[in-house]
């Protein structure tokens, strides 16, 4: 990856023994696009980065795990600004050129002395670190790092897109706790980068759910520094379409990894709604099913209880006519015309739910609206992990 450097150190922000403070740095001024949580309670780093990314140009991103710096009042804002200022100064940047992100426990002040001690080693390590180090440093309850890479070409010049993400619980993004950072050495028109990134996020991170909780810290950012020296990629061109497709592919792959790593998850489930009156109704129905605690526990128990699914569809707010609904588990018809398909379907459906990955298809037979949402089951381990999270 041309023109980007990475670093991660152990600052013992929550506890020692792991990387937890990381830096992404572009050697050149970069176009930046970002999407943030829609939760009305927002962490200090989100408020700061939201303002700084509005101008569409930044050089670096400072991120920590172990502490969200959310609901920490004026002191939390001051701490975030000071951490950013010290890092920007060490990099030779203005404060406005640096974005900040945090993830971890809400409501706890940053351990500033440990944080400040980590900044200079972090900057000094830029010539030795990797994006994989950053991916490890941003993990909280994740069980593995999430990294995706793709390559493209524009004007005869090859370029790369690399992305990382973290998230396993508090996952229901509206832009999960989730962070995602992407870097590309492609030269990309700023307006096109913003629209392509927003659209790709909507079709990926906004199409997953683990536990129906939207974080105070959700942040997704892409930096494009043009080091590949390709002609600027613009909207309405074949190169633009190809770049947007690669970007969507990276984000969707990362989003799926988040669901597969869902806290305590044993199942990865695609909820596909078709035949809805419109796309908005399809998304409502898909999310209602994907977020239903009863549906998710049935998936965990391998119980082919399609009744919980049709109930969720009914309260979703989508236009539904009960006597038209068809529900399938993979290719097994569980209900048609809103009525149970019979005992053979029960047995076949149970076999589908015994798989680690499967699809639930819901046909409302009212129109052309379609939507896909990815979800996980809800297991005993989810309760254990979240009951012990702060201890």
């Amino acid at each position: 990856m041309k023109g980007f450097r990475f670093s991660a150190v152990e600052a013992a922000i929550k506890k020692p023994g792991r990387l937890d403070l990381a830096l992404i740095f572009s050697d050149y001024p970069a176009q930046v696009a970002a999407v943030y949580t829609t939760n009305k309670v927002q962490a200090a780093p989100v408020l700061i980065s939201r303002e700084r990314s509005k101008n569409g140009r930044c050089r670096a991103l400072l991120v920590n795990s172990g502490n969200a710096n959310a609901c920490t009042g004026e002191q939390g804002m001051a701490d975030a600004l000071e951490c950013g200022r010290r890092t920007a100064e060490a990099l030779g940047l203005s404060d406005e050129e640096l974005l900040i992100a945090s993830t971890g426990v809400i409501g706890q002040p940053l351990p500033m002395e440990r944080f400040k001690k980590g900044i200079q080693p972090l900057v000094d390590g830029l010539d030795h670190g990797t994006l994989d180090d950053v991916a490890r440093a941003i993990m909280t309850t994740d069980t593995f790092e999430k990294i995706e890479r793709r390559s493209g070409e524009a004007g005869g010049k090859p370029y790369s897109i690399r992305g990382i993400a973290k998230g396993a619980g508090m996952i229901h993004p509206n832009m999960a706790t989730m962070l995602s950072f992407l870097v590309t050495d492609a030269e990309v028109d700023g307006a096109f980068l913003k629209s392509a990134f927003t659209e790709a996020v909507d079709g990926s991170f906004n199409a997953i759910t683990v536990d129906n909780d939207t974080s105070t810290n959700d942040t997704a950012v892409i930096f494009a520094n043009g080091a590949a020296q390709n002609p600027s990629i613009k909207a309405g061109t074949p190169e633009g379409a190809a770049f947007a497709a690669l970007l969507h592919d990276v984000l969707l792959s990362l989003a799926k990894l988040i669901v597969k790593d869902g806290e305590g998850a044993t199942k990865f489930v695609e909820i596909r709604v078709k035949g809805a009156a419109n796309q908005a109704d399809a998304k409502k129905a898909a999310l209602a099913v994907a977020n239903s605690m009863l549906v998710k526990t049935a998936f965990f128990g391998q119980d082919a209880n399609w009744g919980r699914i049709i109930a969720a569809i009914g309260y979703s707010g989508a236009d539904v006519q009960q006597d038209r609904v068809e529900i399938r588990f993979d290719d097994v018809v569980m209900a048609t015309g809103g009525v149970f398909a019979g005992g053979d379907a029960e047995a076949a459906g149970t076999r589908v739910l015994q798989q680690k990955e499967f699809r639930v298809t819901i046909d409302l037979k009212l129109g052309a609206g379609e939507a896909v949402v990815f979800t996980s089951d809800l297991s005993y381990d989810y309760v254990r992990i979240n009951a012990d999270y702060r201890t």
Side-chain angles (χ1 to χ4, degrees), residues 203-288:
S204 56
F205 295 137
N206 283 355
I208 61 172
T209 181
V210 169
D211 48 19
N212 197 22
D213 261 285
T214 296
S215 168
T216 56
N217 289 59
D218 293 339
T219 300
V221 180
I222 184 170
F223 293 87
N225 70 3
Q229 298 184 329
N230 59 280
S232 183
I233 299 173
K234 300 180 183 295
T237 65
E239 292 81 5
F243 179 85
L246 287 172
L247 185 58
H248 180 266
D249 192 35
V250 168
L251 290 179
L252 184 58
S253 295
L254 289 170
K256 288 180 178 180
L257 289 175
I258 288 173
V259 177
K260 289 179 180 180
D261 197 25
E263 290 171 344
T266 69
K267 309 289 183 183
F268 174 79
V269 188
E270 176 184 326
I271 308 295
R272 181 175 293 271
V273 174
K274 63 180 184 178
N278 50 59
Q279 186 177 0
D281 270 12
K283 189 72 173 279
K284 288 178 185 177
L287 281 172

Side-chain angles (χ1 to χ4, degrees), residues 62 146 199 250 321 342 355:
L62 175 70
K146 300 161 182 70
E199 185 175 341
V250 168
Q321 293 185 27
Q355 303 172 141

Side-chain angles (χ1 to χ4, degrees), residues 121-135:
L122 188 67
V123 173
D124 292 343
L126 278 173
D127 289 329
H128 311 291
T130 67
L131 188 59
D132 297 55
D133 295 331
V134 179

Side-chain angles (χ1 to χ4, degrees), residues 191-204:
F192 172 61
L193 183 68
K194 182 177 180 180
S195 63
F197 189 61
T198 301
E199 185 175 341
V201 166
D202 195 50
S204 56

Side-chain angles (χ1 to χ4, degrees), residues 140-142 166-172 176-178 210-211 213 215 258 261-263 382 386:
T140 50
T141 58
D142 306 59
K166 65 81 56 180
M170 197 176 276
I171 303 295
H172 183 208
T177 301
M178 71 142 267
V210 169
D211 48 19
D213 261 285
S215 168
I258 288 173
D261 197 25
E263 290 171 344
Y382 178 87
N386 282 283

